[in-house]
Amino acid sequence: DGADSHQVIECQNDEDASTRFENLVVQNGYADDDGGGMFMRDCTPTLVNCHFLYNRGGDVGGALKVNGEFGGPILTDCIFIGNEAKEGGAIYLASSNITMIDCRFEGNAATGVSYSDGGAFFLNNRCLAVLTGCTFSGNTADRDAGAIYLDGVSSNPESLAMIDCEISNNRAGENGGGIFADFYAILNMENCTVDGNAATAGDGGGIMNVRNSTATLVGCTLSDNTAGGRGG
């Protein structure tokens, strides 16, 4: 418990998958900059059944910030509830990789500045994320991407693969109620549900793709999404 005054866990000395965090509750963490609950750099630990609750990042990654080209944690059965940051309310991934299996994101928020994007998850600069059986519900962003924001680059672009995932009842103040993919980002979804999301004052109630980003959806269901502008 960070008592809303300090970061809870730091992991940045080349730890590999044998470094294991299991059955932990990481709550009320605070960092002036990144990763109120946990900060990782260039490491690949394993997290199992960890609950990240009500952590705050002064800048990005309320619960977790993952950074560095050698980063690649594996998260299984982890829960993120009520975390908050300016960008990436729960997780901020920067130039790194992540694998998540059966993880749940609820009530996380990107808030506080005019560019607050990615209520639950923000991918920035050459990331690769693979999500299986994960759910995102009730997350919010003041600007874009109520749940997930992909901020790509033209070379080695951002890539997000989602399999059997659910994106539901998330809200963006502007665009991409569920997911926003920008600037060469690559989004692949298989057997996913995108339901009840809202882009309050913008476009793309469920999903929005802009500036040469691509999306491939196979066997997905999009229902009851709404936009204040175009592309409900």
Side-chain angles (χ1 to χ4, degrees):
D1 193 314
D4 204 32
S5 64
H6 61 83
Q7 193 173 68
V8 182
I9 300 173
E10 190 174 277
C11 189
Q12 57 175 351
N13 293 300
D14 303 320
E15 291 86 358
D16 60 20
S18 65
T19 298
R20 187 176 177 90
F21 300 92
E22 186 169 0
N23 302 332
L24 300 183
V25 175
V26 180
Q27 64 185 11
N28 302 320
Y30 175 76
D32 288 335
D33 44 21
D34 306 334
M38 186 173 187
F39 177 82
M40 300 182 192
R41 177 185 290 119
D42 288 326
C43 58
T44 59
T46 301
L47 282 73
V48 178
N49 192 37
C50 291
H51 294 195
F52 290 82
L53 311 177
Y54 308 106
N55 301 284
R56 293 190 300 129
D59 191 13
V60 303
L64 174 62
K65 164 76 179 291
V66 182
N67 187 51
E69 62 180 313
F70 300 111
I74 300 173
L75 281 62
T76 302
D77 294 322
C78 292
I79 295 174
F80 297 81
I81 296 176
N83 303 284
E84 182 179 303
K86 294 175 182 175
E87 295 182 293
I91 297 178
Y92 190 96
L93 190 67
S95 305
S96 193
N97 302 327
I98 195 168
T99 300
M100 293 192 283
I101 302 165
D102 295 332
C103 293
R104 179 158 55 94
F105 296 77
E106 294 181 2
N108 303 285
T111 186
V113 291
S114 61
Y115 53 84
S116 286
D117 301 325
F121 188 22
F122 192 115
L123 293 81
N124 182 43
N125 193 20
R126 300 183 179 90
C127 299
L128 171 61
V130 179
L131 280 56
T132 304
C134 296
T135 62
F136 294 78
S137 62
N139 304 286
T140 61
D142 286 357
R143 189 174 71 169
D144 299 331
I148 302 173
Y149 189 96
L150 291 80
D151 188 12
V153 293
S154 57
S155 59
N156 295 318
E158 230 77 278
S159 180
L160 170 62
M162 304 183 73
I163 303 161
D164 298 325
C165 293
E166 180 178 341
I167 312 292
S168 62
N169 301 312
N170 303 283
R171 182 189 59 78
E174 294 185 19
N175 306 293
I179 300 173
F180 188 105
D182 189 15
F183 198 58
Y184 293 94
I186 299 170
L187 172 64
N188 293 306
M189 303 178 71
E190 183 176 348
N191 299 329
C192 294
T193 299
V194 181
D195 176 74
N197 303 284
T200 306
D203 303 332
I207 301 171
M208 184 164 182
N209 284 70
V210 297
R211 296 199 298 173
N212 296 303
S213 62
T214 61
T216 302
L217 280 64
V218 178
C220 295
T221 300
L222 287 78
S223 60
D224 297 324
N225 303 286
T226 60
R230 297 169 293 180

